[in-house]
Amino acid sequence: MISTHYFIFFFFFFFSFASSHDTSIIFTTLGRSTYAFDIFALPTTHPQTEFQLTDGNSVNFNGHFPATLPPSLLSRLPDDDSVNSGKLPFHLIYVTERNGTHHVFYDAVFHGVGERRAILEFPSQTESTRIQVPLVGFEQLGGRVSMKDKPSLSGEFLVYVSTHEDSGVPRTSWAAVYSTHLGSGLTRRLTPKGVADFSPAVSPSGVWTAVASYGEKGWSGEVQELATDIYVFMTRDGSSRVKVVEHGGWPTWADEYTLYFHRRCDDGWWSVFKAVLPKSGGLSVDSVSTQRVTPPGLHVFTPASSPANKNLIAVATRRAGSEYRHIELFDVVSKKFTEITKPVSPHAHHLNPFFSPDSSWVGYHKCRGSGNGRGSDTLLLENLRNPIPGISLFRIDGSFPSFSPNGDRIAYVRLPGLYVVNYDGSGLRQISSRTAFSTAWDPKRKGVIYTSFGPTFASESTEVDIISINVDDEDLSYKQMTIGGKNNAFPSPSPDGKWIVFRSGRSGHKNLYIMDALEGETGGLRRLTEGSWTDTMCNWSPDGEWIAFASDRENPGSGSFEMYMIHPNGTGLKKVIQSGTGGRTNHPYFSPDGKYIVFTSDYAAVSAEPISNPHHYQPYGDIYVIKSDGSDIQRLTHNSYEDGTPAWGPTFIKPVDVEWPNCGHPCSFEDCHWLNVRPNASVMDASFGLGSAKIECAQ
């Protein structure tokens, strides 16, 4: 049930935003536009052809093959000869990000005896029939946008992660496990209040659910392996919750008393462990025995147990000499690996395996690329459902976007290079091939953009300078605005077009300065902030009265940033918000009316185990808006990726996706950098049958 308190909050928040309606917010998510994930499957014996099980619509991932179907789903399947004459269907539960938000879908794919190379890729009437049922999404959770993850079906109950409830505490994850009764729609929270749970797995009987969880200790800011433990509780209502393993994630049940899970070991390798629970007596960490089952010398993670053989697991691996993660089978008794995906698809990442009920198939997700008959579907602009009506929300395939003064054009960077595109995706032009970051349009001189040329994430003395470019000039003339290259960046012009505030490291510390907008610092320069800390990512308010910026001044050098505001004359310094102790609040940008600020933050911590996704430097950022007085914070995006560099424009962009005009670059994302394996890495323990040599730990 949705609380009355939620509707009261939404009512006041909706009407407080009335003056900001008919505008648009745009932001970036590193690599997300190139994922194009679909669920695929391969037979566990003699794999030859990958079968694409999902429909190529948006991003589809983290699948589950249910062992049985409840009456509420069976009643929705057709009962006719065209279906019943086909082979047995794949029944699939999975997460999809279609229609601008996360949903959990059920698909049944019936297929006949067609001769196509992959008859499941895009079903036709004669060869395949797809039955598709949305199970949980925006509508089922009271109209609240949220992330969904790791679904599984147990009887009539769908068990999954959702972030639709505010934790109420800054820098605390909203991720919690819920169960939804598919017949009635009744949803129950299984995770205790004040606790975050990830990666749920339901036992074969359905009685128990295991999760990776912080318990009550909370998130400490990890971006690689989360410091989670394994807990189990009653699936029925979340009761009888107990910690059974310290230090572990991604649990999977082999039987009612055996769990597999992964952890990063002291030798640097990710490995899979087995936990054996007692059949009698009290259940606790002390009563559970654990054993490492996969060897050092390669990374092994995200295990899935075989329903037909409790000594067989499917795992994702990163081996020495390989740039890709692949799916392999591992026999925990013989300690033998069997490659599944590499012989079939060697140059692609394969993520998060799962078995069919009879263990004859293993599923996973990967980028579908452009070989599916539909093109790449790579999006330049992806529309997302915004919890604030009347404001378009878009993800752009680039970084540091900004709107032209009338909102008809967008400037952004896509390393390397500076680009300009019309808000409808037409007229895309590369303005410069140099490494640039941050963009801002001059409010008075048409076509003038300010940006910074030079390395990102660099020291105070690094050669970075601010330049202005007239993108309407046939020669693309530009002017260097700063001198000396002491990491001058993040320019933002005043609304009257006379001044530019920017960040500079010229004093040995990154502080804010204001210079002349026409001539640059040679035409006038003064220091706005001063201290042995970092003030950065500044943005001038539309009325000219305030400059918002991010700063670590409360704990210099810690990496913890809060949002502040200051008058252009250096008075009135005040903190707007911080994420929490040790948190990050960055990239503030005023709404066109100046009443609100959009920004990125780890205010809601991390929402999933980072290793289950491709690479993100900061897999915890979400986009928020807040009143400029620091009240009424509202979360806009929910996912396990890194959302950042938002901008707010004066034009309402039609809420539809815009594809890349040249089909984009599908599958160009990277695996987690911290999973890199050195070529000479091997193994010391010859008992695992992989040779013996020096161990090289993950970097």
Side-chain angles (χ1 to χ4, degrees):
M1 295 180 64
I2 308 302
S3 68
T4 303
H5 175 268
Y6 172 78
F7 281 114
I8 293 173
F9 171 80
F10 181 82
F11 177 85
F12 283 107
F13 199 90
F14 173 86
F15 284 100
S16 71
F17 262 94
S19 61
S20 292
H21 281 191
D22 301 325
T23 59
S24 298
I25 293 172
I26 192 169
F27 67 95
T28 186
T29 305
L30 179 70
R32 166 60 177 74
S33 65
T34 64
Y35 288 178
F37 286 147
D38 267 315
I39 307 289
F40 289 76
L42 276 168
T44 53
T45 58
H46 309 297
Q48 294 180 341
T49 301
E50 292 182 308
F51 289 92
Q52 182 176 324
L53 301 186
T54 47
D55 60 5
N57 187 345
S58 185
V59 172
N60 307 295
F61 58 97
N62 284 357
H64 164 73
F65 290 127
T68 58
L69 294 183
S72 61
L73 279 183
L74 286 171
S75 64
R76 304 190 202 187
L77 300 181
D79 184 18
D80 58 49
D81 293 339
S82 65
V83 167
N84 294 331
S85 62
K87 296 180 181 179
L88 291 176
F90 282 95
H91 297 285
L92 179 67
I93 307 290
Y94 61 99
V95 180
T96 180
E97 293 184 11
R98 67 193 67 201
N99 301 322
T101 187
H102 285 69
H103 299 267
V104 177
F105 269 33
Y106 161 77
D107 279 17
V109 182
F110 300 80
H111 59 94
V113 294
E115 298 298 325
R116 290 168 58 189
R117 177 177 177 272
I119 58 178
L120 299 180
E121 285 185 353
F122 289 95
S124 67
Q125 269 315 105
T126 57
E127 291 180 330
S128 302
T129 302
R130 178 184 303 279
I131 309 301
Q132 192 169 78
V133 181
L135 300 181
V136 174
F138 180 80
E139 296 79 8
Q140 289 84 359
L141 295 176
R144 288 178 286 182
V145 174
S146 67
M147 189 198 84
K148 313 294 186 303
D149 197 27
K150 205 64 168 52
S152 58
L153 190 62
S154 179
E156 281 280 357
F157 291 91
L158 184 73
V159 178
Y160 57 98
V161 169
S162 178
T163 60
H164 66 270
E165 288 187 288
D166 189 340
S167 67
V169 179
R171 208 168 184 246
T172 302
S173 178
W174 296 20
V177 175
Y178 297 81
S179 70
T180 294
H181 187 273
L182 297 183
S184 66
L186 180 65
T187 296
R188 178 194 293 269
R189 181 182 174 116
L190 302 181
T191 299
K193 293 289 186 178
V195 173
D197 285 344
F198 311 96
S199 312
V202 180
S203 69
S205 69
V207 173
W208 296 98
T209 293
V211 295
S213 180
Y214 296 123
E216 297 180 356
K217 61 187 177 183
W219 181 58
S220 64
E222 310 99 327
V223 297
Q224 297 182 12
E225 182 192 20
L226 302 186
T228 54
D229 303 317
I230 306 296
Y231 288 76
V232 299
F233 51 76
M234 300 287 287
T235 307
R236 180 184 66 248
D237 56 7
S239 64
S240 303
R241 182 183 177 101
V242 61
K243 180 165 66 175
V244 296
V245 172
E246 290 185 342
H247 184 196
W250 206 268
T252 179
W253 296 87
D255 57 35
E256 293 299 301
Y257 301 99
T258 307
L259 282 167
Y260 292 100
F261 62 93
H262 66 208
R263 70 163 63 132
R264 186 166 59 180
C265 302
D266 293 339
D267 57 25
W269 299 105
W270 284 78
S271 294
V272 173
F273 285 70
K274 180 169 72 172
V276 179
L277 282 58
K279 295 184 178 180
S280 61
L283 184 60
S284 68
V285 170
D286 294 334
S287 67
V288 174
S289 63
T290 61
Q291 175 189 1
R292 184 177 185 174
V293 297
T294 62
L298 76 167
H299 294 304
V300 186
F301 46 92
T302 58
S305 296
S306 163
N309 180 356
K310 71 176 185 178
N311 293 320
L312 184 68
I313 55 177
V315 294
T317 66
R318 274 293 300 276
R319 288 183 172 270
S322 173
E323 297 180 2
Y324 299 96
R325 66 169 75 181
H326 281 289
I327 306 304
E328 304 188 38
L329 303 181
F330 182 73
D331 188 306
V332 300
V333 176
S334 67
K335 298 181 173 59
K336 298 293 185 182
F337 282 96
T338 302
E339 294 181 331
I340 293 293
T341 59
K342 186 177 179 180
V344 177
S345 179
H347 303 300
H349 293 296
H350 303 74
L351 293 84
N352 307 352
F354 57 100
F355 275 105
S356 63
D358 63 359
S359 298
S360 63
W361 292 84
V362 61
Y364 48 88
H365 62 269
K366 57 168 278 189
C367 181
R368 59 184 170 265
S370 57
N372 58 7
R374 290 180 47 160
S376 68
D377 295 332
T378 306
L379 298 179
L380 173 62
L381 293 168
E382 180 182 10
N383 179 247
L384 303 183
R385 187 184 291 271
N386 193 338
I388 306 172
I391 302 176
S392 281
L393 180 64
F394 281 89
R395 174 186 287 125
I396 189 170
D397 187 17
S399 298
F400 300 104
S402 64
F403 287 93
S404 60
N406 64 2
D408 65 338
R409 290 187 286 181
I410 299 168
Y412 68 95
V413 300
R414 199 168 190 266
L415 299 176
L418 172 67
Y419 295 80
V420 171
V421 66
N422 296 329
Y423 72 87
D424 62 359
S426 64
L428 177 64
R429 289 191 298 153
Q430 183 177 19
I431 304 302
S432 173
S433 61
R434 295 178 62 180
T435 299
F437 66 100
S438 83
T439 65
W441 294 77
D442 190 287
K444 298 299 183 181
R445 286 168 289 169
K446 186 176 182 296
V448 173
I449 293 174
Y450 302 100
T451 188
S452 303
F453 280 165
T456 60
F457 302 107
S459 66
E460 288 81 357
S461 61
T462 304
E463 186 173 342
V464 179
D465 273 307
I466 294 169
I467 60 103
S468 66
I469 302 180
N470 189 333
V471 298
D472 293 337
D473 185 347
E474 185 176 346
D475 296 328
L476 294 175
S477 59
Y478 74 91
K479 179 180 179 64
Q480 185 166 323
M481 308 294 290
T482 56
I483 301 171
K486 299 295 185 180
N487 209 331
N488 304 294
F490 297 105
S492 176
S494 60
D496 60 10
K498 295 181 179 180
W499 305 100
I500 294 173
V501 62
F502 65 102
R503 188 274 315 278
S504 179
R506 62 189 62 206
S507 70
H509 302 286
K510 295 175 181 178
N511 292 148
L512 302 185
Y513 295 77
I514 293 178
M515 66 178 171
D516 184 89
L518 284 173
E519 300 300 325
E521 66 175 271
T522 60
L525 176 72
R526 64 183 176 87
R527 190 168 186 167
L528 180 61
T529 64
E530 183 174 357
S532 57
W533 51 70
T534 294
D535 298 329
T536 188
M537 306 174 192
C538 40
N539 182 251
W540 215 307
S541 68
D543 62 5
E545 291 296 314
W546 292 99
I547 292 169
F549 63 98
S551 178
D552 69 350
R553 58 181 56 210
E554 288 193 355
N555 192 1
S558 66
S560 175
F561 283 82
E562 297 84 41
M563 189 202 307
Y564 291 84
M565 289 170 58
I566 192 171
H567 289 303
N569 64 6
T571 65
L573 178 70
K574 62 179 180 179
K575 184 194 292 184
V576 181
I577 191 173
Q578 69 181 65
S579 170
T581 303
R584 296 185 180 186
T585 299
N586 294 326
H587 299 292
Y589 201 104
F590 282 96
S591 62
D593 63 9
K595 295 182 179 180
Y596 301 91
I597 298 173
V598 62
F599 61 99
T600 184
S601 179
D602 61 355
Y603 193 85
V606 68
S607 297
E609 294 191 53
I611 199 171
S612 65
N613 282 326
H615 178 69
H616 287 271
Y617 291 101
Q618 300 169 163
Y620 49 69
D622 288 291
I623 306 299
Y624 297 80
V625 295
I626 195 170
K627 284 185 177 179
S628 56
D629 64 4
S631 63
D632 290 346
I633 185 172
Q634 172 84 328
R635 183 178 181 180
L636 300 190
T637 64
H638 293 249
N639 57 56
S640 55
Y641 313 137
E642 176 187 354
D643 293 339
T645 65
W648 204 325
T651 302
F652 182 82
I653 303 176
K654 186 178 179 181
V656 295
D657 294 340
V658 176
E659 291 188 16
W660 267 94
N662 60 353
C663 295
H665 305 279
C667 310
S668 59
F669 58 88
E670 297 177 301
D671 199 6
C672 299
H673 288 186
W674 35 270
L675 282 177
N676 290 341
V677 184
R678 296 184 180 179
N680 64 340
S682 54
V683 64
M684 294 179 66
D685 189 349
S687 67
F688 283 102
L690 296 179
S692 60
K694 180 181 178 181
I695 293 178
E696 296 283 347
C697 290
Q699 300 298 309

